[in-house]
Amino acid sequence: MAGRHVLRHCGILDRIAGMVVGIPHAIEGLAEPGGSPTLREIVLDVLGDRDIPVLGNVEIGHAGPNLPMPIGVRAALDAGRRTLSLLEPAVRAPSEMV
C-alpha cells in the first residue's frame, strides 16, 4: 500500500476538495469477511484528518465496467446524496479549442 503514502507526501491530498473511490477489484482480503484492511479503513488512512466528502464504490477506475472521468473539469460532489455532477462540458468542439 505504498501508493497512499506517495499521495500524502506529494501534497496531492492537500489540493483536493473531495474524493471519488472506485469499486475495488483486485485488493486481496477486501471481499472476505473480516478482511483487513477494509476499503473504508484504507480511505480513512489515506485522508488522515482531512474533512472532505468521499463517494465510494463508484464504477470508475482502471477495471471495467467504468464510467469515463474527465480530468480538469470542475465537478460537484454530494456524498450524502451519492451524486457527482460535471459543472462544465467534458469535451469541446475543435473550434472552441485555443
Side-chain angles (χ1 to χ4, degrees), residues 39-86:
L39 181 58
R40 178 182 175 84
E41 290 168 338
I42 293 169
V43 171
L44 290 175
D45 179 54
V46 166
L47 292 177
D49 61 355
R50 290 167 186 82
D51 185 21
I52 62 171
V54 177
L55 181 59
N57 288 320
V58 179
E59 290 184 344
I60 62 167
H62 300 285
N66 62 31
L67 302 168
M69 292 301 301
I71 295 173
V73 174
R74 290 179 44 241
L77 170 63
D78 186 330
R81 291 186 176 164
R82 295 197 44 81
T83 60
L84 177 66
S85 306
L86 300 182

Side-chain angles (χ1 to χ4, degrees), residues 7-51:
L7 291 174
R8 187 179 299 143
H9 295 298
C10 288
I12 291 171
L13 297 175
D14 295 329
R15 299 183 310 207
I16 64 173
M19 179 182 281
V20 180
V21 180
I23 298 170
H25 292 283
I27 300 176
E28 291 184 28
L30 287 181
E32 301 168 16
S36 181
T38 66
L39 181 58
R40 178 182 175 84
E41 290 168 338
I42 293 169
V43 171
L44 290 175
D45 179 54
V46 166
L47 292 177
D49 61 355
R50 290 167 186 82
D51 185 21

